[in-house]
Every structure is written in C-alpha cells, then in structure tokens.
C-alpha cells in the first residue's frame, strides 16, 4: 500500500516545484482548407462486430473481479481487452495503440486489480493527461474494485493537495493522477514509488503535447525496476516511442483500429458574414431544440469559453463550461450535469474535453476553427458515436 507516513524524510521533500514543465503547447497554426469541414454524405456505419476469442470467464482472474465485470454488464471483452488481458496477466508489458472509447481503461485495470487481489502489498500508478480522464479512470476503478477494499486516490492539479495527501496517508493501492501533481507529491515524499510494479501511461501522446515528457520520465524512473508497464497512446511520436523503448521490456503491441467516426458525422461550415453577430447565429441554431439536443461547443481560449457560456446562460439556455481556469469540482459538476442532461450545452476548450466519453452528443460546434486538422477530428469524434448520426458545424469568418 502507498502510505508515505514513514517516509517524511524523503530526499525529494524539498518543495522544489520550479522545474515543472509548464503547458508548452506549440502554437503551430495549420492553415486548414475549409472544404475539409464539409462532408454531407454521411454513411451510417454499423459498428464492426468483433468476435472476441475469449470471454471474461476464460481469463485467469479472481472470481470477485469476474463478478464486478458482470455487474458492469460487460459481456464480451472489447478487442483491446481480448488481445491484451491474457498477456498482461502473464506479466507482459503492453503497448496499446488505442483511443478513448475502446475499453482500454478496463484492459489495464483488470490485470492490475488481479495483481493487488493476489498480493495486497502491490501498488500501481496511473498517469493521465487531464483531471477529467483521471477521474473517469477512478470511476471505472471504483466499479471494478467494488467491495474489495482496494482504494485509489486521485491526485490531480487544480484540486486541493491537502485532501490528496490525506487520502495518500490513509493508505491506498493505486494512485491516479496528472504528471505535474504526481511529481509534486513524489518530491514532497508523499508518494513513494520504489516498490511500485504496475505503471500506466494513458494517452501518452497527449501528455507529450502538453509538455509533460520530463515529468513522466522522472516518475517512471522512480518506479521499481521490476515494473510492468501499460503504455497507451493514439499515435506513436518519436519521443514516446523512445520512452517506451527505455522503460518497457519487449511489450506486446496491440493496435485497435480507430473507428473513423467522421463517417458518421455530417460536417458543414457556417459562414459568419461581416457585421453579423456570431453568438446570434449560434443561438439561431440552438433554438432548433428538436435537432440540437445535446451540443458540445469548442472555443480556443479559456476566457472565451467562459464568456460564451455566461452569455448563453444569460440568454436562457441550459449551458455550462469546462476549461482549465475552472475549479476542479466545478468542472466535474458541470460534466455530470451534461451527462445527465440537466444541461444540454457544454462549452469547452480542447484540453478540458480531451479523452472524455460523453454519450449521445448530437452536435459538435467549432465556434472557433481548431488549430490543427487532428484537433478537428478529435473534436468531431465526440459525436456520431455508437452507430448514431452526428453533426459537426464549423464557424468560419
Ligand atoms: P474506455 O475506452 O476505457 O474509456 O471505455 C469506453 C466505454 O466502454 C466506457 O463507457 C466503458 O464503461 C465501456 N466498456 C469498457 N469495456 C467494455 C466491455 N467489455 N463491454 C461493454 N462496454 C465496455
């Protein structure tokens, strides 16, 4: 168990947080041809039927875990689970090239939980790029570990560190967090990774984009040499490939075909003529309530996101916002409201919305043009899920 109570005199307890790699997202503004935002011929693709080679009961895992999986109504393993869990249970390192929505979370939580059930001294660290993703992982963990007395603590930036320290001191088996905060807690001597034998990097490429590569390397270096690594990334940029080469031993590579969501998404542009008020155009669209049932609106800057959501609320819409300047609890509350349909409009920055699995989004609106085409694809992938048609509209000036 993580319990750093006796490790107060850690050599890292120097409170030096100065070298943290701040968010250094490059401002490479790709000039995107507007015609790439238009695609009216949507193909409603049936979700490809994957025939798993295993059932959950085939896996050599504890009966309690099988019960928890059944309680989640997971009947068949998803492709990534099917292909990776048997190897992970044998202790192999895993390199998963997969996006959100593939079931990757359970693919690493199931083997890790099984390890902990068999040896209560085992600990794991799960590193994720955003608070929301960390919380999503923790939620899946609570479900899968129900009644097992295996605890996870979420350690993310933007939330009070004191509560996280209290959680860690109570003792837990799994820490889930964002790189900067985890680094801070390791340096304060609150997390001791020297015996940690399970390490997960989730959305490694995103963490690289966000300037976290040095923090992740530092954290990995602190874990046990006997570690088992679970590395997940949608793409494999060179620095991530190098990192995995350094920290993984002959990993089993599992690739899950990223569903081309754009085929299910009708894409069009909305031209904003000179002298027209952009927000009025947006409201005209939102007034078609029968169509615009659940709308995710992207804007580039945090203050612009906040301003837009405040304005929409003023005009009587059920809207909310998530961005980096909002308190962590507020973001969580807003997300929950959006999930539960208490609000039907969510305004977000790309970073805040990254990796989130929000069902039934009918429309994605790019209130501002995304900086890269890759970001555009990520954004529109929030709709058109589960064989449903989605609509993506991009405002162009
Ligand atoms: P993830 O990619 O881990 O974010 O998972 C995406 C969604 O799939 C989540 O809502 C999971 O609860 C769900 N999920 C994961 N594994 C399975 C499974 N074997 N069967 C059905 N749903 C699953």
């Amino acid at each position: 168990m993580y319990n750093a109570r006796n490790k107060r005199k850690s050599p890292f307890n120097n409170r030096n947080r100065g070298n943290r790699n701040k968010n250094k997202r490059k401002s490479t503004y790709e000039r995107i041809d507007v015609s790439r935002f238009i695609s009216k011929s949507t193909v409603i693709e049936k979700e490809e039927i994957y025939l798993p080679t295993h059932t959950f009961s085939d896996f050599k895992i504890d009966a309690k875990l099988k019960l928890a999986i059944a309680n989640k109504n997971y009947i068949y393993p998803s492709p990534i689970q099917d292909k990776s869990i048997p190897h992970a249970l044998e202790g192999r390192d895993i390199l998963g090239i997969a996006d959100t929505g593939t079931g990757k979370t359970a693919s690493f939580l199931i083997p890790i939980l099984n390890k902990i059930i068999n040896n209560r001294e085992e600990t794991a660290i799960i590193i994720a790029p955003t608070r929301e993703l960390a919380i999503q992982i923790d939620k899946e963990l609570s479900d899968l570990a129900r009644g097992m007395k295996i605890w996870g603590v979420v350690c993310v930036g933007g939330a009070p560190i004191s509560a996280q320290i209290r959680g860690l001191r109570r003792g837990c088996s799994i820490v889930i967090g964002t790189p900067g905060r985890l680094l801070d807690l390791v340096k304060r001597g609150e997390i001791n990774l020297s015996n940690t034998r399970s390490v997960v990097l989730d959305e490694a490429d995103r963490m690289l984009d966000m300037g976290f590569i040095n923090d992740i390397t530092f954290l990995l270096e602190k874990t046990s040499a006997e570690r088992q690594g679970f590395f997940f990334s949608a793409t494999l940029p060179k620095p991530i490939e190098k990192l995995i080469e350094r920290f993984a031993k002959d990993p089993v590579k599992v690739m899950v075909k990223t569903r081309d969501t754009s085929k299910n998404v009708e894409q069009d542009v909305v031209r904003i003529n000179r002298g027209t008020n952009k927000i009025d155009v947006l409201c005209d669209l939102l007034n078609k309530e029968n169509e615009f049932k659940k709308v995710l609106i992207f804007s580039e800057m945090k203050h612009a996101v906040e301003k837009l959501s405040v304005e929409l609320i003023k005009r009587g819409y059920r809207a909310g916002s998530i961005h980096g300047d909002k308190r962590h609890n507020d973001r969580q509350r807003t997300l929950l409201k959006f999930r539960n349909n208490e609000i039907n409009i969510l305004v977000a920055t790309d970073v805040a919305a990254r990796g989130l699995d929000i069902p039934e989004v009918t429309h994605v609106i790019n209130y501002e043009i995304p900086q890269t085409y890759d970001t555009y694809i990520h954004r529109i992938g929030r709709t058109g899920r589960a064989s449903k048609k989605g609509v993506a509209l991009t405002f162009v000036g």
Side-chain angles (χ1 to χ4, degrees), residues 25 130 206 297-301 305 322-323 348-356 366 368-372 375-376 378-379 382:
R25 209 168 152 67
T130 60
R206 295 284 156 208
I297 304 176
F298 284 100
S299 198
E300 285 290 314
M301 312 296 286
V305 164
I322 53 168
H323 55 76
T349 54
D350 290 299
V351 174
R354 195 160 275 166
L356 295 184
N366 296 308
E368 274 153 42
I369 296 183
Q371 297 210 355
T372 64
T375 307
Y376 175 74
H378 266 96
R379 287 183 180 183
R382 308 275 152 235

Side-chain angles (χ1 to χ4, degrees), residues 25-44:
R25 209 168 152 67
K26 280 182 240 121
S27 57
T28 42
Y29 203 105
E30 216 180 72
R31 281 232 155 261
I32 314 164
D33 180 353
V34 168
S35 67
R36 294 178 89 184
F37 301 141
I38 304 173
S39 165
K40 296 195 175 172
S41 52
T42 52
V43 184
I44 298 297

Side-chain angles (χ1 to χ4, degrees), residues 56 69 72-78 81 99-108 133 136 140 355 357 385:
F56 282 112
I69 293 167
K72 288 266 315 165
N73 291 325
Y74 293 175
I75 299 164
Y76 295 106
S78 71
Q81 294 161 359
D99 250 333
T100 301
T102 52
K104 63 184 161 72
T105 315
S107 81
F108 60 77
L133 184 57
Q136 218 164 270
E140 183 92 352
D357 181 40
R385 292 186 155 204

Side-chain angles (χ1 to χ4, degrees), residues 59-66 69 85-86 88-91 106-120 122 124 141 144-145 148 150 174 198 228 230:
F59 293 145
K60 294 192 181 69
I61 53 175
D62 193 274
K64 288 193 282 295
L65 202 43
K66 285 185 184 170
I69 293 167
I85 290 176
L89 289 170
E90 285 171 2
S107 81
F108 60 77
L109 285 179
I110 291 171
I112 289 174
L113 281 170
N114 199 57
K115 251 185 181 177
I116 299 171
I117 293 169
N118 290 328
N119 174 8
R120 292 283 170 158
E122 285 284 346
L141 170 65
L144 291 173
M148 296 176 195
I150 296 174
I174 303 176
S198 300
Q228 178 181 22
F230 297 82

Side-chain angles (χ1 to χ4, degrees), residues 267-311:
Q267 301 159 62
D268 206 350
V269 295
V270 176
R271 294 198 183 269
I272 308 294
N273 298 323
R274 207 181 276 265
T276 320
N277 192 344
K278 209 167 161 185
I279 197 160
D280 291 337
V281 177
L282 175 67
C283 292
D284 284 346
L285 290 171
L286 296 175
N287 289 343
K288 299 177 192 168
E289 269 182 47
N290 287 338
E291 287 175 45
F292 287 71
K293 288 191 177 128
K294 196 160 183 176
V295 187
L296 186 53
I297 304 176
F298 284 100
S299 198
E300 285 290 314
M301 312 296 286
K302 298 171 200 171
H303 67 265
V305 164
E306 188 55 30
K307 200 171 149 208
L308 180 57
S309 106
V310 167
E311 182 59 30

Side-chain angles (χ1 to χ4, degrees), residues 157-217:
I161 199 164
S162 51
Q164 295 167 6
I165 292 175
R166 274 198 303 279
L168 291 166
R169 290 184 186 178
R170 268 198 297 273
C172 69
S173 305
I174 303 176
V175 287
I176 308 160
T178 45
R181 180 55 61 89
L182 288 169
L183 183 85
D184 196 347
L185 288 161
V186 169
K187 286 186 169 175
R188 289 171 183 236
E190 297 294 346
I191 296 175
N192 172 21
L193 295 173
S194 57
N195 292 319
T196 296
R197 286 191 295 232
S198 300
V199 182
V200 179
L201 290 193
D202 204 355
E203 301 202 351
D205 50 353
R206 295 284 156 208
M207 292 199 276
L208 172 73
D209 281 354
M210 293 165 83
F212 285 137
I213 190 88
N214 293 339
D215 295 1
I216 304 168
T217 309

